[in-house]
DNA sequence: CACTGGTGTTAGTGAGCGTTAACGTGTCGC
DNA sequence: GCGACACGTTAACGCTCACTAACACCAGTG
């Protein structure tokens, strides 16, 4: 069990600070000297631990994509044993919220700096991302069999956008009171979005039909 | 519709291409030579039209924030005359969806490259953004008076994240069939999220008191 | 104590890039 | 025809920045 507290001090420390800086100012907006300064060493000392700046970003993105996928698989296996898609989806949502709140910088990087990777790394990250998305899509389709796959996939992406909005609420302008409240809010909104996805076609009491493509 | 948009040919052409490139590869990831090449001129020729690369980004971000706010105000005035907050919110959602689908690159830039602006421009953009958010928050609070302001604001940000997810659906992996379907899907998801916001208190599978103490 | 490997430092190099300089060319008012 | 101007070109400058080179310190190990 090599969980936390082990702290291979420097490497992880560097990755953590690099993630924060990349998320704040963008990959190109951060210099190696700044990353080094953030961990107490200066500039080129980083090259004792990483092959280069690109390698840091690659490891961050591959790492986060992998952990996200692993966590998702675990939750599907765990909650899916009961055969209740709703419970699985709820578990996936909770897991993603935890992730988004625990590692905001990484979540931000996840869909912002992907293009800076070498082809091989980018392909790997995309593959992990796609698997994670498919995990969700499968569950959503089990829960709402009437929803076509393209809509389910679109809804999943959209809910990701919703959940990943955490970086925009956090520090500035005094957002939500506490973490628990943010969790609760995001959970409710995500469930509401998926619920609306299920109400295909008619139903919606509040707005005009407008469901089919025939809106002029 | 390309009505009279072709008037100041070069300037707008440059802005359009710059927006696309910035959104694709990031502000620092695009060189002035590329922007020039995209409009048929080369490199420093851009400086006949703009003071610099920063000026292009500034004009783009200020422009989009302003148009977003103006459109929102118009819709609040228009649909708000009937005194029906639900209709106003629906109109705001439709407007934001149109915007997100019409100008994906700009929507992407809107909350990605803001930090690259000079202080004055950034302050202006943030002010416009805040006004736009407050427009939504006001309507949401009229519609759901029981929801505390912090939650309403958080929900609005989250729904922005949802609606702004359009860049992730578009080109790759063959997303939604057509634009109308995407519009419809996003509209339904957004309404669903807000509806869930209204159902405060019990309802949810996991109960959290939510606000209670943290007001203000 | 000498040896070695891990970790850090400062100085320097080479490339990329935003920006400016100097110059060319078509169009328009007179 | 002829300045004036808008618009574009290529060449070059200067700065930033990732990365490398050469050197220093410190912990074990024999």
């Amino acid at each position: 069990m090599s969980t936390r507290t082990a702290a291979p001090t420097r490497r992880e420390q560097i990755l953590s600070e690099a993630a924060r800086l990349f998320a704040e100012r963008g990959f190109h907006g951060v210099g190696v000297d700044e990353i080094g300064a953030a961990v107490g060493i200066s500039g080129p000392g980083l090259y004792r631990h990483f092959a280069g700046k690109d390698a840091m970003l690659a490891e961050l993105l591959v790492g986060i994509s992998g952990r996200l996928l692993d966590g998702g698989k675990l939750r599907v296996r765990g909650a899916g044993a009961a055969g209740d898609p709703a419970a699985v989806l709820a578990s996936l949502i909770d897991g993603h919220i935890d992730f988004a709140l625990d590692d905001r910088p990484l979540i931000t990087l996840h869909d912002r700096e992907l293009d800076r990777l070498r082809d091989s790394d980018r392909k790997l990250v995309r593959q992990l991302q796609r698997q994670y998305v498919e995990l969700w899509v499968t569950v959503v389709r089990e829960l709402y069999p009437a929803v076509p796959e393209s809509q389910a996939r679109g809804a999943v992406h959209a809910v990701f956008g919703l959940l990943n909005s955490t970086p925009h609420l956090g520090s500035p302008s005094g957002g939500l009171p506490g973490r628990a409240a943010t969790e609760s809010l995001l959970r409710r909104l995500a469930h509401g979005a998926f619920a609306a996805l299920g109400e295909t076609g008619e139903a919606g009491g509040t707005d005009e039909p407008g469901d089919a493509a025939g809106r002029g």
Side-chain angles (χ1 to χ4, degrees), chain A:
Chain A
M1 41 173 74
S2 63
T3 57
R4 58 182 72 193
T5 64
T9 21
R10 266 293 130 84
R11 244 187 108 84
E12 288 197 350
Q13 197 181 359
I14 291 170
L15 282 177
S16 172
E17 292 301 313
R20 183 179 57 82
L21 289 169
F22 288 161
E24 280 176 7
R25 305 216 282 284
F27 179 69
H28 290 288
V30 178
V32 290
D33 290 349
E34 288 179 271
I35 304 174
V39 298
I41 72 181
S42 226
L46 297 170
Y47 288 78
R48 297 289 176 198
H49 305 274
F50 294 93
K53 201 180 155 194
D54 295 328
M56 299 181 209
L57 182 64
E59 191 158 328
L60 282 172
L61 291 183
V62 172
I64 188 185
S65 303
R67 285 199 299 273
L68 215 43
L69 176 58
D70 288 346
K73 280 181 178 173
L74 274 179
R75 284 171 181 274
V76 167
R77 233 187 297 276
D84 180 10
V88 180
L89 183 59
S91 179
L92 283 177
I93 290 172
D94 286 351
H96 197 103
I97 291 174
D98 276 349
F99 216 93
L101 290 176
D102 284 339
D103 293 301
R104 290 188 197 185
L106 286 176
I107 281 285
T108 301
L109 286 182
H110 190 244
D111 56 11
R112 179 178 288 196
E113 307 282 1
L114 186 61
D115 303 329
R116 277 72 181 173
L117 262 55
R118 293 206 325 275
D119 281 11
S120 58
D121 290 323
R122 188 171 56 243
K123 276 205 154 120
L124 173 56
V125 171
R126 278 211 208 274
Q127 181 182 340
L128 294 170
Q129 284 184 357
R130 172 158 28 231
Q131 288 183 53
Y132 184 62
V133 171
E134 291 311 311
L135 222 59
W136 283 64
V137 170
T138 301
V139 175
V140 168
R141 294 213 70 199
E142 288 175 14
L143 191 54
Y144 306 113
V147 175
E149 184 177 333
S150 61
Q151 282 194 27
R153 187 169 289 110
V156 167
H157 278 289
V159 170
F160 285 170
L162 187 151
L163 297 179
N164 293 352
S165 69
T166 28
H168 299 284
L169 324 156
S171 32
S173 74
L176 274 293
R179 178 189 167 118
T182 307
E183 270 185 40
S184 169
L185 175 64
L186 290 176
R187 188 182 304 131
R188 191 159 46 211
L189 295 174
H191 278 285
F194 279 127
L197 177 68
E199 300 161 3
T200 325
E202 62 269 317
T206 55
D207 59 328
E208 63 224 47
D211 67 314
R215 178 92 166 29

